[in-house]
Amino acid sequence: MITHWLANATEACIYPQQVDNLAVMPRLDKVQEADVVVIGGGLLGLSAALHLAAAGVDTVLLEKAQVGGRASGRNGGQLTPGMARWKARQMLQMLPFETARWLWQFASSEAMQLLDSLLETHGINADRHHGHLTAAVHPAHMAPLAEELAARQTLGDRCAAMLDRDQLRTHLNSANYHGAAIDHSGGHIHPLKLVHGLLGAFLRAGGQAYEDSAVVALRPGARGTLALTAAGGMVARKAIVLAMHADSGTLQPQEESMTLPLYTYVAATAPVSGGIHTLLPTAMPVYDTQLQIDYFRPYDNDRLLFGALGTSQLLPRASIVKRLQQRLTAVFPQQPNLSPEFFWAEPFDITRSGMPVFRKSAAPVPVYSAYGWNGHGLAQSVRVGKAISDDLLRLNRDFLRLTRFPPVAFPTRFLSKRRLASLAMLSARVVNLLQPHKMLSS
């Protein structure tokens, strides 16, 4: 059976098949200058670059490989509120009320509204759909979901509601779940279409982008800070934006201990027999409350896009397909022919606090950075990109407020990051085994 699954599964991200005329940017082959240099062609970098260029700032984006070629263009496409692993309840517990309310609004309603505004303003068709479900895999998980809903309401958010088991079945045809929280502000989107839509808008605003232009060093000088590449470089006169996520430590070694690397895995099935509505009648995306969450949504031509697992080591090809197949069968046993047609692995990074790391250096040419999205940062990275632009333009202090949340380093002096990641996953699995009623994710 495993041989059959492997024979019918292609190891490739399916998204490029639906993006017409993927733009190819030139390689930087000489030294130039710009007001702002953005390093990284994902959603954070593109958002910052677009907002700056639209304001008339001379902005250049440098991408080490292809724009959208990493997590920003290959993720599961789910739009959920909150700042990484910090949800409303944790914000209320950990922060003064006004700070909690501001952060929730920033990372939720503002993030979703900005995303929708960019799609409309720039004519980007990225298959945006509204509505999202967080499904409880254990009866005891309904209580923390209800507590999260109450916390959202305390912070002024009325976009979510609770569904009991019977109500959930109108949205999700699986017997695995005991109810859910439904969020009307979130939803799902085609991430690669979004990435290339933002790139097109940036270029039309007068920005320049270069691919295959990895920055190998930052060198301050009299005219600004040089972002050095193998074949050239770009001198930033006013600021540098590091939008490199998991690679941030390559240019800022002092940041290396702030994140741990993990892998998630995504499959796209063949068109579902009988149509995707037989599994997801209202076409809403879902993620669940187990430790290693399952997350899934409709995709083009009645396919199911299904993500699962979280591992500290990249699994072999056969293991990826086997485990994804097991999860598909466990969630939708009524569809015995449901299996991966395409699959891919995607690295992401986690932080110790569950909050991303936000930095602005005090150098004459400041360096901005934001990373550590914990697998939950699609809309939020777009919002933070605008906050960086706003700070440079002196429009508000939103990004400076984000930098005041202190990050907590991992003890990498004693163990390697990979070893720490393995231990963290093992510890969480033990807790999940001994206390299945305890919700470790949301």
Side-chain angles (χ1 to χ4, degrees):
M1 183 64 73
I2 296 176
T3 303
H4 170 73
W5 295 334
L6 279 172
N8 291 279
T10 300
E11 187 172 4
C13 178
I14 196 174
Y15 294 148
Q17 295 186 11
Q18 272 203 305
V19 181
D20 296 328
N21 302 316
L22 279 171
V24 178
M25 298 294 103
R27 187 185 191 204
L28 182 64
D29 59 4
K30 59 185 177 180
V31 176
Q32 302 180 49
E33 293 187 8
D35 286 339
V36 178
V37 176
V38 177
I39 303 172
L43 290 170
L44 173 67
L46 285 164
S47 176
L50 170 57
H51 285 98
L52 287 166
V57 178
D58 179 15
T59 306
V60 170
L61 184 144
L62 303 178
E63 163 57 40
K64 72 173 185 179
Q66 289 77 45
V67 169
R70 291 283 297 272
S72 287
R74 292 163 55 94
N75 63 73
Q78 299 210 15
L79 299 167
T80 58
M83 185 61 85
R85 295 204 314 271
W86 280 47
K87 305 303 181 186
R89 186 169 51 146
Q90 186 171 5
M91 291 179 189
L92 275 176
Q93 292 171 347
M94 302 293 291
L95 303 173
F97 178 77
E98 289 301 327
T99 303
R101 183 165 62 178
W102 170 81
L103 182 59
W104 180 258
Q105 181 176 340
F106 177 95
S108 301
S109 60
E110 289 184 15
M112 302 302 171
Q113 289 164 11
L114 174 63
L115 183 61
D116 290 337
S117 174
L118 289 170
L119 296 177
E120 181 178 1
T121 299
H122 299 288
I124 300 171
N125 179 10
D127 304 335
R128 165 72 155 114
H129 299 274
H130 290 79
H132 185 277
L133 297 163
T134 303
V137 298
H138 191 283
H141 292 180
M142 291 294 286
L145 287 179
E147 291 167 5
E148 173 65 15
L149 175 62
R152 291 178 63 165
Q153 292 173 342
T154 299
L155 295 174
D157 183 344
R158 301 289 188 272
C159 291
M162 293 298 295
L163 303 177
D164 63 26
R165 189 168 196 151
D166 290 337
Q167 291 170 322
L168 177 59
R169 288 301 289 269
T170 66
H171 300 281
L172 172 57
N173 189 13
S174 174
N176 287 18
Y177 304 105
H178 300 269
I182 183 170
D183 174 74
H184 297 288
S185 66
H188 63 103
I189 198 166
H190 193 297
L192 192 60
K193 287 185 177 181
L194 173 61
V195 163
H196 280 268
L198 294 177
L199 173 61
F202 169 60
L203 297 175
R204 290 191 296 274
Q208 299 178 67
Y210 296 90
E211 295 180 322
D212 192 24
S213 301
V215 175
V216 296
L218 299 178
R219 294 181 178 172
R223 297 179 61 85
T225 296
L226 171 65
L228 182 67
T229 69
M234 191 68 61
V235 176
R237 294 184 290 258
K238 294 183 178 179
I240 284 180
V241 179
L242 291 186
M244 302 166 62
H245 305 302
D247 294 333
S248 296
T250 60
L251 294 180
Q252 293 187 313
Q254 70 274 19
E255 301 292 305
E256 189 66 25
S257 64
M258 293 300 168
T259 62
L260 296 181
L262 296 176
Y263 292 89
T264 188
Y265 306 92
V266 186
T269 70
V272 177
S273 175
I276 191 66
H277 66 276
T278 62
L279 307 180
L280 299 169
T282 58
M284 281 197 189
V286 179
Y287 72 71
D288 65 25
T289 59
Q290 63 184 320
L291 168 63
Q292 293 183 307
I293 66 171
D294 292 333
Y295 52 99
F296 43 92
R297 65 180 180 92
Y299 191 64
D300 183 59
N301 293 326
D302 280 324
R303 297 178 187 270
L304 180 70
L305 197 78
F306 192 99
L309 312 175
T311 64
S312 57
Q313 302 282 348
L314 179 62
L315 294 176
R317 182 175 184 270
S319 296
I320 296 172
V321 176
K322 177 183 177 181
R323 294 197 190 187
L324 286 170
Q325 180 65 60
Q326 289 172 338
R327 294 311 309 151
L328 282 164
T329 302
V331 176
F332 297 112
Q334 73 272 29
Q335 282 278 2
N337 296 323
L338 203 62
S339 61
E341 184 173 31
F342 295 87
F343 72 96
W344 64 96
E346 194 57 39
F348 67 101
D349 51 344
I350 62 170
T351 60
R352 195 169 180 182
S353 69
M355 174 79 77
V357 178
F358 303 104
R359 305 281 202 198
K360 179 186 177 181
S361 76
V365 176
V367 177
Y368 292 83
S369 61
Y371 63 95
W373 297 98
N374 294 266
H376 298 279
L378 200 163
Q380 292 74 13
S381 58
V382 174
R383 179 65 185 90
V384 170
K386 182 180 185 300
I388 291 173
S389 171
D390 288 350
D391 188 76
L392 272 163
L393 297 171
R394 300 185 179 181
L395 298 179
N396 57 56
R397 298 177 62 83
D398 284 349
F399 189 78
L400 293 183
R401 293 184 74 172
L402 292 173
T403 64
R404 293 179 187 145
F405 298 106
V408 182
F410 287 100
T412 54
R413 288 178 56 191
F414 308 103
L415 290 171
S416 70
K417 291 178 66 170
R418 192 65 67 188
R419 183 62 175 161
L420 283 169
S422 297
L423 289 174
M425 293 301 297
L426 176 61
S427 173
R429 283 196 296 269
V430 169
V431 172
N432 191 58
L433 179 65
L434 297 177
Q435 297 178 297
H437 60 280
K438 185 175 181 180
M439 196 170 83
L440 300 179
S441 65
S442 62

Coordinates of all heavy atoms in Angstrom, one line a residue, residues 267-318:
A267 N 0.0 18.2 1.9 CA -0.4 17.3 0.7 C -1.6 18.0 0.0 O -2.4 18.6 0.6 CB -0.8 15.9 1.2
A268 N -1.6 17.8 -1.3 CA -2.8 18.2 -2.1 C -3.3 16.9 -2.7 O -2.6 16.2 -3.4 CB -2.4 19.2 -3.2
T269 N -4.6 16.6 -2.5 CA -5.1 15.3 -3.0 C -5.6 15.5 -4.4 O -5.7 16.6 -4.9 CB -6.3 14.9 -2.1 OG1 -7.4 15.8 -2.4 CG2 -6.0 14.9 -0.6
A270 N -5.9 14.4 -5.0 CA -6.6 14.4 -6.3 C -8.0 15.0 -6.0 O -8.4 15.0 -4.9 CB -6.7 13.0 -6.9
P271 N -8.7 15.4 -7.1 CA -10.1 15.9 -6.9 C -10.9 14.8 -6.1 O -10.9 13.6 -6.4 CB -10.6 16.0 -8.3 CG -9.4 16.4 -9.1 CD -8.3 15.6 -8.5
V272 N -11.6 15.3 -5.1 CA -12.3 14.4 -4.1 C -13.6 13.8 -4.8 O -14.3 14.5 -5.5 CB -12.8 15.2 -2.9 CG1 -13.6 14.3 -2.0 CG2 -11.6 15.8 -2.2
S273 N -13.7 12.5 -4.7 CA -14.8 11.8 -5.3 C -16.1 12.4 -4.7 O -16.3 12.4 -3.5 CB -14.8 10.3 -5.0 OG -15.9 9.6 -5.4
G274 N -17.0 12.8 -5.6 CA -18.3 13.4 -5.1 C -18.2 14.9 -4.8 O -19.2 15.6 -4.6
G275 N -17.0 15.5 -4.9 CA -16.8 16.9 -4.7 C -16.3 17.2 -3.3 O -16.6 16.5 -2.3
I276 N -15.6 18.3 -3.1 CA -15.1 18.8 -1.8 C -16.2 19.0 -0.8 O -15.9 18.9 0.4 CB -14.1 20.0 -2.0 CG1 -13.3 20.3 -0.7 CG2 -14.9 21.2 -2.4 CD1 -12.3 19.2 -0.4
H277 N -17.4 19.4 -1.3 CA -18.5 19.7 -0.4 C -18.9 18.4 0.4 O -19.5 18.6 1.5 CB -19.7 20.2 -1.1 CG -20.3 19.2 -2.1 ND1 -19.9 19.0 -3.3 CD2 -21.4 18.4 -1.9 CE1 -20.6 18.1 -3.9 NE2 -21.5 17.7 -3.1
T278 N -18.5 17.2 0.0 CA -18.8 16.0 0.8 C -17.9 16.0 2.1 O -18.3 15.3 3.0 CB -18.6 14.8 0.0 OG1 -17.2 14.7 -0.4 CG2 -19.4 14.8 -1.3
L279 N -16.8 16.7 2.1 CA -16.0 16.8 3.3 C -16.1 18.1 4.0 O -16.2 18.1 5.2 CB -14.5 16.6 2.9 CG -14.2 15.4 2.0 CD1 -12.7 15.4 1.7 CD2 -14.6 14.1 2.8
L280 N -16.2 19.2 3.2 CA -16.3 20.5 3.8 C -17.5 21.3 3.1 O -17.3 22.0 2.2 CB -15.0 21.3 3.6 CG -13.7 20.7 4.2 CD1 -12.5 21.4 3.7 CD2 -13.8 20.8 5.7
P281 N -18.7 21.0 3.7 CA -19.9 21.5 3.0 C -19.9 23.0 2.7 O -20.5 23.5 1.7 CB -21.0 21.1 3.9 CG -20.5 19.9 4.6 CD -19.0 20.2 4.8
T282 N -19.3 23.8 3.7 CA -19.4 25.3 3.5 C -18.0 25.8 3.1 O -17.8 27.0 3.1 CB -19.8 25.9 4.8 OG1 -18.9 25.6 5.9 CG2 -21.2 25.6 5.2
A283 N -17.1 24.9 2.7 CA -15.8 25.3 2.2 C -14.9 26.1 3.1 O -14.0 26.8 2.7 CB -15.9 26.0 0.9
M284 N -15.1 25.9 4.5 CA -14.3 26.7 5.4 C -13.1 25.9 5.8 O -13.1 24.6 5.9 CB -15.1 26.9 6.7 CG -16.1 28.1 6.6 SD -16.5 28.6 8.3 CE -17.9 29.7 7.8
P285 N -11.9 26.5 5.9 CA -10.7 25.8 6.3 C -10.8 25.5 7.8 O -11.6 26.1 8.6 CB -9.6 26.9 6.1 CG -10.3 28.2 6.3 CD -11.7 28.0 5.8
V286 N -10.0 24.5 8.2 CA -10.0 23.9 9.5 C -8.6 23.7 10.0 O -7.7 23.3 9.3 CB -10.8 22.5 9.6 CG1 -10.8 22.0 11.0 CG2 -12.2 22.7 9.0
Y287 N -8.4 24.1 11.3 CA -7.3 23.4 12.0 C -7.8 23.0 13.4 O -8.8 23.5 13.9 CB -6.0 24.2 12.1 CG -5.9 25.5 12.9 CD1 -5.9 25.4 14.3 CD2 -5.8 26.7 12.4 CE1 -5.8 26.5 15.1 CE2 -5.7 27.8 13.2 CZ -5.7 27.7 14.6 OH -5.6 28.8 15.3
D288 N -7.1 21.9 13.9 CA -7.7 21.3 15.1 C -6.8 21.7 16.3 O -5.9 22.4 16.3 CB -7.9 19.8 14.9 CG -6.6 19.0 14.7 OD1 -5.5 19.5 15.2 OD2 -6.7 18.0 14.1
T289 N -7.2 21.0 17.5 CA -6.5 21.4 18.7 C -5.6 20.4 19.3 O -5.1 20.5 20.4 CB -7.6 21.6 19.8 OG1 -8.4 20.4 20.0 CG2 -8.6 22.8 19.4
Q290 N -5.2 19.4 18.5 CA -4.2 18.5 18.9 C -2.8 19.1 18.9 O -2.6 20.2 18.3 CB -4.2 17.2 18.1 CG -3.9 17.3 16.7 CD -4.0 16.0 15.9 OE1 -3.7 15.0 16.4 NE2 -4.6 16.1 14.7
L291 N -1.9 18.5 19.6 CA -0.5 19.0 19.6 C 0.1 19.2 18.3 O 0.5 20.3 17.9 CB 0.4 18.0 20.5 CG 1.9 18.3 20.4 CD1 2.2 19.7 21.0 CD2 2.7 17.2 21.1
Q292 N 0.1 18.2 17.4 CA 0.6 18.3 16.1 C -0.6 18.4 15.2 O -1.2 17.4 14.8 CB 1.4 17.0 15.7 CG 2.7 17.0 16.5 CD 3.6 15.8 16.0 OE1 3.1 14.6 16.0 NE2 4.8 16.0 15.7
I293 N -1.0 19.6 14.9 CA -2.3 19.9 14.4 C -2.5 19.4 13.0 O -1.5 19.3 12.2 CB -2.6 21.4 14.4 CG1 -1.7 22.2 13.4 CG2 -2.6 22.0 15.8 CD1 -2.1 23.6 13.2
D294 N -3.7 19.0 12.7 CA -4.1 18.8 11.3 C -4.7 20.1 10.8 O -5.5 20.7 11.6 CB -5.1 17.7 11.2 CG -4.6 16.3 11.4 OD1 -3.4 16.1 11.2 OD2 -5.4 15.4 11.9
Y295 N -4.4 20.5 9.6 CA -5.0 21.7 9.1 C -5.3 21.5 7.6 O -4.5 20.9 6.9 CB -4.1 23.0 9.3 CG -2.7 22.8 8.8 CD1 -2.3 23.4 7.5 CD2 -1.7 22.2 9.5 CE1 -1.0 23.3 7.0 CE2 -0.4 22.1 9.1 CZ -0.1 22.6 7.8 OH 1.2 22.5 7.4
F296 N -6.5 21.8 7.2 CA -6.9 21.5 5.9 C -8.0 22.5 5.3 O -8.6 23.2 6.1 CB -7.5 20.0 5.8 CG -8.4 19.7 6.9 CD1 -9.8 19.8 6.8 CD2 -7.9 19.1 8.1 CE1 -10.6 19.4 7.8 CE2 -8.7 18.7 9.1 CZ -10.1 18.9 9.0
R297 N -8.1 22.5 4.0 CA -9.0 23.5 3.4 C -9.3 23.0 1.9 O -8.5 22.2 1.4 CB -8.4 24.9 3.4 CG -7.1 25.0 2.5 CD -6.6 26.4 2.6 NE -5.4 26.7 1.8 CZ -5.4 27.1 0.5 NH1 -6.5 27.3 -0.1 NH2 -4.2 27.3 -0.1
P298 N -10.3 23.6 1.3 CA -10.5 23.3 -0.1 C -9.5 23.9 -1.0 O -8.9 24.9 -0.6 CB -11.9 23.9 -0.4 CG -12.5 24.3 0.9 CD -11.3 24.5 1.9
Y299 N -9.2 23.3 -2.1 CA -8.3 23.8 -3.1 C -8.9 23.6 -4.5 O -9.9 23.0 -4.6 CB -6.9 23.1 -3.0 CG -5.9 23.9 -3.7 CD1 -5.5 25.2 -3.4 CD2 -5.3 23.3 -4.8 CE1 -4.5 25.8 -4.2 CE2 -4.3 23.9 -5.6 CZ -3.9 25.2 -5.2 OH -3.0 25.9 -6.0
D300 N -8.3 24.1 -5.4 CA -8.8 24.2 -6.8 C -9.3 22.8 -7.3 O -8.7 21.8 -7.0 CB -7.7 24.7 -7.7 CG -8.1 24.9 -9.1 OD1 -9.1 25.6 -9.4 OD2 -7.5 24.2 -10.0
N301 N -10.4 22.9 -8.1 CA -10.9 21.7 -8.7 C -11.2 20.6 -7.7 O -10.9 19.4 -8.0 CB -10.0 21.2 -9.8 CG -9.9 22.1 -11.0 OD1 -10.8 22.8 -11.3 ND2 -8.7 22.3 -11.5
D302 N -11.9 20.9 -6.6 CA -12.3 19.9 -5.6 C -11.2 19.1 -5.0 O -11.5 18.0 -4.5 CB -13.4 19.0 -6.3 CG -14.7 19.6 -6.4 OD1 -15.1 20.4 -5.4 OD2 -15.5 19.3 -7.3
R303 N -10.0 19.7 -4.9 CA -9.0 19.0 -4.1 C -9.1 19.4 -2.6 O -9.7 20.4 -2.3 CB -7.6 19.4 -4.6 CG -7.3 19.1 -6.1 CD -5.9 19.6 -6.4 NE -5.6 19.4 -7.9 CZ -5.0 18.3 -8.4 NH1 -4.7 17.3 -7.5 NH2 -4.8 18.2 -9.6
L304 N -8.5 18.6 -1.8 CA -8.3 18.9 -0.4 C -6.8 19.2 -0.2 O -6.0 18.4 -0.5 CB -8.7 17.7 0.5 CG -8.6 17.9 2.0 CD1 -9.6 19.0 2.5 CD2 -8.8 16.6 2.8
L305 N -6.5 20.3 0.4 CA -5.2 20.7 0.8 C -5.1 20.3 2.3 O -5.8 20.9 3.1 CB -4.9 22.1 0.6 CG -3.4 22.5 0.6 CD1 -2.8 22.2 -0.7 CD2 -3.2 24.0 0.8
F306 N -4.1 19.4 2.6 CA -4.1 18.9 4.0 C -2.7 19.0 4.5 O -1.7 18.4 4.0 CB -4.5 17.4 4.0 CG -4.8 16.8 5.3 CD1 -6.1 16.7 5.8 CD2 -3.8 16.3 6.1 CE1 -6.4 16.1 7.0 CE2 -4.0 15.8 7.3 CZ -5.3 15.7 7.8
G307 N -2.5 19.7 5.7 CA -1.2 19.8 6.3 C -1.3 19.1 7.7 O -2.3 19.0 8.3
A308 N -0.1 18.6 8.1 CA -0.1 17.8 9.4 C 1.4 17.7 9.9 O 2.3 18.0 9.2 CB -0.7 16.4 9.2
L309 N 1.5 17.3 11.1 CA 2.7 16.9 11.7 C 3.6 18.1 12.0 O 3.3 19.3 11.6 CB 3.5 15.9 10.9 CG 2.8 14.8 10.3 CD1 3.7 14.0 9.4 CD2 2.2 13.9 11.4
G310 N 4.5 17.9 12.9 CA 5.6 18.9 13.2 C 6.7 18.1 13.7 O 6.6 17.5 14.7
T311 N 7.8 18.2 13.0 CA 9.0 17.3 13.4 C 10.2 18.2 13.4 O 10.4 19.2 12.8 CB 9.2 16.2 12.3 OG1 9.6 16.8 11.1 CG2 8.0 15.3 12.2
S312 N 11.2 17.7 14.3 CA 12.4 18.5 14.4 C 13.5 18.1 13.3 O 14.4 18.8 13.1 CB 13.0 18.2 15.8 OG 13.2 16.8 16.0
Q313 N 13.2 16.9 12.7 CA 14.1 16.5 11.6 C 13.2 16.3 10.4 O 12.1 15.9 10.4 CB 14.8 15.1 12.0 CG 15.6 15.1 13.2 CD 16.9 15.8 13.0 OE1 17.4 16.0 11.9 NE2 17.6 16.0 14.1
L314 N 13.8 16.6 9.2 CA 13.1 16.4 8.0 C 12.9 14.9 7.7 O 13.9 14.1 7.7 CB 13.9 17.0 6.8 CG 13.3 16.9 5.4 CD1 11.9 17.6 5.4 CD2 14.2 17.4 4.4
L315 N 11.7 14.5 7.6 CA 11.3 13.1 7.4 C 11.7 12.6 6.0 O 11.7 13.4 5.0 CB 9.9 12.8 7.6 CG 9.3 13.1 9.0 CD1 7.8 12.9 9.0 CD2 10.0 12.1 10.0
P316 N 12.1 11.3 5.8 CA 12.3 10.8 4.5 C 11.0 10.8 3.7 O 9.9 10.9 4.2 CB 12.7 9.3 4.7 CG 13.1 9.3 6.1 CD 12.3 10.3 6.9
R317 N 11.1 10.8 2.4 CA 10.0 10.9 1.5 C 8.9 9.9 1.8 O 7.7 10.3 1.9 CB 10.5 10.8 0.0 CG 9.4 10.9 -1.1 CD 10.0 10.9 -2.4 NE 9.1 11.1 -3.5 CZ 8.4 10.1 -4.1 NH1 8.6 8.9 -3.7 NH2 7.5 10.5 -5.0
A318 N 9.3 8.7 1.9 CA 8.3 7.6 2.2 C 7.5 7.9 3.5 O 6.3 7.6 3.6 CB 8.9 6.3 2.2

